[in-house]
Amino acid sequence: MNLRLDRSLLHRFGILLVLLAVGLGLSLATESFLTVSNLTNVARQVSINGILAVGVTFVLLTGGVDLSLGSVVALSGVVCATFAHPAADGHPLFLPIAAGLLTGAACGLLNGGLVTKGKVAPFIVTLGMMTVARGLALIVSGGRPVADMSERLTALAGDVGGVPIPLLFFVTVAVAAWIFLRRFRLGRHVYAVGGNEQAARAAGISVARVKLFVYVLCGLMAGLAGVVLAARITTGQPNAGVAYELDAIAAVVIGGTSLSGGIGSVAGTVLGVILIGVINNGLDLMSVSSYYQQVVKGVIIVGAVWLDRRQARG
Amino acid sequence: MLSLTGISKSFGGLPVLQDVSLAINAGEVHALMGENGAGKSTLMKVVAGLHAPDGGAMRLKDAPYAPASPHAALLAGVAMIHQELMPIPDMTVGENILLGAEPCGPLGLVDRAAVRARARALLAELDCDLSPDVPMRTLSVGQTQVVEIAKALGREADVLLMDEPTAALSDHEASALFRAVARLRAKGVAVVYTTHKMDEVFRLADRITVLRDGRHVITAKAGELDQERLIAHMVGRPMSEIFPPRGKVSPEVVLEVSRLSREGRFKDVSFQIRKGEVLGLAGLMGAGRTEVASAVAGLEPAEAGEMRLHGRPFRPRDPGEAITAGVAMVTEDRKGQGIVPALPIRENITLSALGTLCNAGVIDHAAEAEAARSGMRDFSVRATGPEQPVGQLSGGNQQKVLLARALLNRPEVVVLDEPTRGIDVGAKAEIYALIRRLTDDGRAVLLVSSELPEVIALSHRLLVLRQGKVAAELDAATATQEEVLRHAMPL
């Protein structure tokens, strides 16, 4: 009778097994994969996608979607960099970070507001935001990279005790999100709204509030990713982050979250993020051309979801 | 016309049908009866080519019949109308009727005029004057049902299978459906159908077959059975008492509704419900019963009029406010507005009451688990455990989960909209007993039901709605079905 539950476990083990198999294969195929420096490198690379994926997990759980992530990352990065000139070094680190985060959250608020109050489909709203945020990033930066960032900020992309700081952000965000979805009332409401919106309303849940929350949170995560990215590339790049939303959504879906909402977990998303990161890294190590890498990645995304559906059908 | 011999079918080692033999004649209406899980739907799906039987043989029109798919069954002359209708809402009635069999011109272009003419002819055969050009989405469930029948008719089906065709229909709409079925019978079509509605079987069916636990129990002419014996065959034991006696009503008024109105839905509806009382809302589909119930529960707020709860003004703008004030509703639309299928029973039960199970927004898991456990116990929810996803439960058990959810906040007023729709006799009896327990606890119950025997037997008083207005208020102890219907029929 507990078939569905067992399958979801199987599914979770399924990605874990795929991840271990890929890891084992790469360890055997290349000498450099299983080294501290390479794994640290992978961790650094997946962090930004990880932060975005955690954010968009919330949106996908409610049955929505956020296509504006990549553009919001660029806009937040540009805004952050604008406030991070060394001339302003007397200012606390706080200001550029806050500016970046707020920019992301504001975009999310606009997305959420249009989805809930305006009753426009999330696909359309966030598609619009994708273009608007990209345009704003170009306007704010004058179309050029915003360079000359304070070293105190770019240090955010560095290490503490050998651990990349972006990884710490990712882990913190993931753990917090995991606890939130499992333990908090609002977290439960996210699942209920995605599982059956009408039923959630009839049960007394404010569906609009829940949706607004997930879009703001997702925007906030995009803001954080923008700050981290700006620190890493030491500039605010108005053209950065193109198609980041697709990588994030792919990771969430590989992690078992249903695009129609209501089913999924942050743990699955984290595994999906790592799997994509490891595969990218492995293909790099094996010197596979970046053209082929894209093909391989696409096949894996569709393949993972196809396997998932086959399992679901039994 | 159609004969089944020794049909067996198992799912995952669990036998669902065992050695079922049955003969269906041309031009007869044959009712398949049985509790949920008795194997009615599975048997129909075997005949319709959706499931291949594990054992046994079928013959159709004196030829061996073993459809490999629903499409093959359709070509052989067997059509099925599923419980959950599958119309394409944005296509017209005509396009839906001829879906997959569109008359085409020389270039493969659809001949729209022919579609329209053919659809109109098919609808006329069913005594239905619906225009083929209206979009499907504007139709009522009953009209959709008739369109589905026209579709089957268009395929020149010899055998028509209908799974619970009247589950969502009012008596009035069901009558239109019955007329269509009578037409089919006259044309020599064999109609096989399932239903949970006792009174309707005796109105419609020529012969009745009862299945129990996947086995054939009896096939008899409808005239040879009565309701009591039919139920006894279905449940395997005589059910001397389905309805519990009415409880005692206290004089204290809990909910007072006066001149409640909503444009185009209902107008000037007034009533009171006392502590321990069941007020039944009767009427035809579209009379505004669900709408009035929804207004009381804040789902679709009224536009005018006022409500008082224990004398205090009560004007909920959404379900959340109503629940906080002490009014909870169990919806008629269990799948659409009730359960969250992917979530476990525990989370479904506590969904409305999480606020009371939280500290600063953090769910107290121990308290939640206890609330879910006692909810499952009090409402005898049968499941593998509180973590089983609600989507896997039977309709009756899903309904009990929703009742548990509604009652967890200890509401003063419980609004029940069609609480026994689509669930089997055994589960119905349990729900009836639960309603009695609610009133014994001093709650006030507003009960909407399309099943007249049910609403009459459970209520203390009846409010009959007709076209959105109160047509009569009756003492349920003395009211008869005929009396209720007379008030409910449009003038």
Side-chain angles (χ1 to χ4, degrees):
Chain A
M1 227 23 220
N2 240 331
L3 281 175
R4 231 197 17 253
L5 207 68
D6 289 347
R7 277 202 202 103
S8 87
L9 279 176
L10 188 74
H11 177 86
R12 205 170 288 178
F13 280 127
I15 338 175
L16 202 57
L17 287 179
V18 171
L19 186 57
L20 289 176
V22 171
L24 188 69
L26 287 173
S27 311
L28 296 175
T30 67
E31 289 177 358
S32 43
F33 176 73
L34 203 62
T35 57
V36 172
S37 70
N38 183 57
L39 292 183
T40 312
N41 187 27
V42 173
R44 194 186 305 279
Q45 280 169 353
V46 301
S47 295
I48 287 175
N49 188 34
I51 293 166
L52 292 172
V54 168
V56 83
T57 298
F58 282 77
V59 173
L60 294 179
L61 277 177
T62 63
V65 73
D66 191 343
L67 298 177
S68 66
L69 289 179
S71 300
V72 175
V73 165
L75 178 61
S76 307
V78 166
V79 170
C80 170
T82 310
F83 283 97
H85 291 307
D89 222 1
H91 287 290
L93 194 58
F94 171 79
L95 186 62
I97 295 178
L101 295 182
L102 279 179
T103 304
C107 293
L109 186 67
L110 217 58
N111 280 336
L114 284 165
V115 168
T116 54
K117 290 267 180 288
K119 309 238 181 285
V120 185
F123 189 97
I124 306 296
V125 170
T126 59
L127 190 67
M129 178 59 75
M130 177 169 129
T131 313
V132 169
R134 181 68 64 191
L136 287 177
L138 290 163
I139 293 168
V140 171
S141 63
R144 289 177 303 278
V146 182
D148 197 18
M149 282 172 69
S150 149
E151 279 179 15
R152 289 180 58 189
L153 192 79
T154 55
L156 281 184
D159 296 351
V160 251
V163 182
I165 295 175
L167 179 66
L168 294 180
F169 279 121
F170 171 35
V171 171
T172 308
V173 160
V175 170
W178 187 71
I179 294 173
F180 183 84
L181 282 175
R182 288 178 64 93
R183 296 294 312 260
F184 278 66
R185 175 152 72 134
L186 195 49
R188 178 75 54 79
H189 287 177
V190 168
Y191 281 97
V193 167
N196 186 342
E197 187 172 325
Q198 293 297 319
R201 186 178 111 81
I205 293 171
S206 168
V207 173
R209 214 187 55 157
V210 172
K211 286 190 172 177
L212 196 63
F213 164 75
V214 297
Y215 284 99
V216 171
L217 184 78
C218 189
L220 186 69
M221 289 302 112
L224 177 60
V227 171
V228 173
L229 182 67
R232 205 172 108 197
I233 59 181
T234 67
T235 46
Q237 273 281 4
N239 290 313
V242 173
Y244 274 22
E245 60 278 347
L246 299 183
D247 269 359
I249 292 171
V252 177
V253 170
I254 288 174
T257 295
S258 159
L259 276 183
S260 46
I263 302 171
S265 71
V266 173
T269 295
V270 169
L271 287 176
V273 167
I274 297 174
L275 184 62
I276 289 188
V278 165
I279 288 169
N280 277 341
N281 174 256
L283 295 172
D284 273 338
L285 292 181
M286 294 195 292
S287 320
V288 176
S289 125
S290 66
Y291 301 165
Y292 281 99
Q293 286 194 17
Q294 298 192 29
V295 175
V296 171
K297 206 159 83 182
V299 169
I300 286 172
I301 291 168
V302 177
V305 176
W306 178 64
L307 276 177
D308 188 33
R309 294 297 170 270
R310 263 169 52 109
Q311 275 181 4
R313 277 200 305 269
Chain B
M1 170 67 75
L2 173 73
S3 71
L4 317 179
T5 323
I7 298 291
S8 301
K9 176 76 190 173
S10 308
F11 289 114
L14 203 75
V16 181
L17 290 174
Q18 299 182 62
D19 195 24
V20 175
S21 299
L22 189 62
I24 311 283
N25 304 327
E28 79 163 340
V29 177
H30 199 117
L32 271 183
M33 303 291 289
E35 294 202 77
N36 279 352
K40 297 164 295 179
S41 294
T42 309
L43 187 63
M44 283 200 167
K45 286 176 180 168
V46 166
V47 176
L50 277 149
H51 295 317
D54 299 335
M58 296 188 277
R59 293 182 73 78
L60 181 68
K61 289 176 275 185
D62 289 324
Y65 168 67
S69 66
H71 187 67
L74 207 53
L75 292 179
V78 177
M80 177 157 178
I81 299 175
H82 292 268
Q83 194 171 351
E84 258 101 53
L85 299 172
M86 293 176 270
I88 302 178
D90 286 314
M91 285 169 60
T92 66
V93 165
E95 286 165 340
N96 265 284
I97 291 178
L98 292 166
L99 194 65
E102 295 86 352
C104 289
L107 289 169
L109 296 173
V110 174
D111 182 346
R112 282 165 187 259
V115 167
R116 213 168 290 141
R118 180 121 177 74
R120 187 167 287 136
L122 287 167
L123 288 169
E125 277 192 59
L126 296 174
D127 213 9
C128 170
D129 57 0
L130 208 57
S131 160
D133 295 321
V134 298
M136 206 65 196
R137 111 165 28 259
T138 61
L139 269 52
S140 71
V141 183
Q143 290 172 317
T144 309
Q145 198 73 255
V146 172
V147 167
E148 290 283 329
I149 294 178
K151 194 166 153 184
L153 204 60
R155 305 296 191 283
E156 295 182 344
D158 299 308
V159 178
L160 180 63
L161 310 168
M162 295 193 284
D163 197 3
E164 292 271 353
T166 54
L169 303 192
S170 66
D171 282 358
H172 183 63
E173 286 182 302
S175 306
L177 179 76
F178 296 159
R179 279 200 299 279
V181 170
R183 289 262 183 154
L184 291 179
R185 169 162 53 191
K187 285 171 58 96
V189 176
V191 179
V192 182
Y193 90 115
T194 64
T195 182
H196 280 108
K197 297 187 181 174
M198 292 291 159
D199 48 339
E200 153 191 324
V201 182
F202 293 103
R203 270 200 280 166
L204 190 60
D206 301 307
R207 289 197 301 156
I208 298 173
T209 289
V210 177
L211 297 179
R212 185 170 72 232
D213 299 332
R215 292 174 190 279
H216 179 263
V217 176
I218 189 179
T219 298
K221 289 210 174 84
E224 294 167 0
L225 288 171
D226 58 30
Q227 184 156 336
E228 205 141 313
R229 271 189 293 168
L230 180 56
I231 291 176
H233 283 303
M234 286 166 62
V235 299
R237 63 194 145 88
M239 275 189 64
S240 47
E241 220 174 44
I242 313 177
F243 298 113
R246 299 179 182 89
K248 232 175 107 56
V249 180
S250 119
E252 185 186 337
V253 173
V254 179
L255 179 71
E256 191 174 358
V257 172
S258 48
R259 301 178 68 83
L260 210 60
S261 302
R262 184 177 166 84
E263 184 72 37
R265 301 289 178 181
F266 53 87
K267 195 164 167 35
D268 290 340
V269 173
S270 305
F271 58 85
Q272 297 180 334
I273 315 182
R274 279 170 266 276
K275 219 172 152 171
E277 184 179 40
V278 179
L279 176 70
L281 273 184
L284 305 176
M285 191 85 119
R289 294 167 306 167
T290 293
E291 289 78 3
V292 169
S294 301
V296 171
L299 235 70
E300 276 181 68
E303 289 159 350
E306 67 169 22
M307 295 191 276
R308 301 183 87 82
L309 192 63
H310 281 304
R312 286 185 301 275
F314 169 62
R315 180 173 267 273
R317 282 166 301 178
D318 59 47
E321 289 187 3
I323 290 169
T324 311
V327 177
M329 176 162 173
V330 177
T331 167
E332 62 163 341
D333 186 4
R334 194 157 56 230
K335 284 207 173 70
Q337 302 195 5
I339 58 165
V340 186
L343 292 186
I345 296 170
R346 169 177 52 85
E347 298 184 14
N348 266 282
I349 288 181
T350 58
L351 199 59
S352 291
L354 274 182
T356 60
L357 300 167
C358 279
N359 292 319
V362 184
I363 299 166
D364 179 343
H365 277 213
E368 189 198 11
E370 177 48 36
R373 258 198 308 275
S374 66
M376 286 179 73
R377 198 177 48 233
D378 292 352
F379 294 88
S380 33
V381 176
R382 271 182 288 281
T384 56
E387 298 311 310
Q388 188 176 11
V390 163
Q392 295 176 355
L393 302 183
S394 70
N397 278 306
Q398 291 180 349
Q399 191 68 9
K400 289 188 232 163
V401 167
L402 292 182
L403 279 163
R405 178 199 290 170
L407 270 298
L408 192 53
N409 284 313
R410 307 196 61 75
E412 307 270 349
V413 179
V414 184
V415 181
L416 301 174
D417 195 1
E418 304 285 358
T420 63
R421 169 174 294 168
I423 68 180
D424 64 56
V425 179
K428 277 185 184 178
E430 286 184 81
I431 303 256
Y432 297 153
L434 284 172
I435 293 174
R436 170 64 203 264
R437 237 173 55 206
L438 293 183
T439 54
D440 285 349
D441 283 355
R443 295 173 215 289
V445 175
L446 181 61
L447 172 71
V448 176
S449 173
S450 293
E451 291 191 42
L452 285 176
E454 173 178 297
V455 74
I456 292 172
L458 293 177
S459 307
H460 292 96
R461 281 181 303 130
L462 289 171
L463 210 61
V464 185
L465 293 186
R466 178 177 59 216
Q467 295 170 329
K469 290 184 187 152
V470 177
E473 189 178 327
L474 307 172
D475 180 352
T478 56
T480 62
Q481 297 194 33
E482 291 69 28
E483 196 182 356
V484 174
L485 267 181
R486 202 174 57 241
H487 289 295
M489 285 297 184
L491 297 172

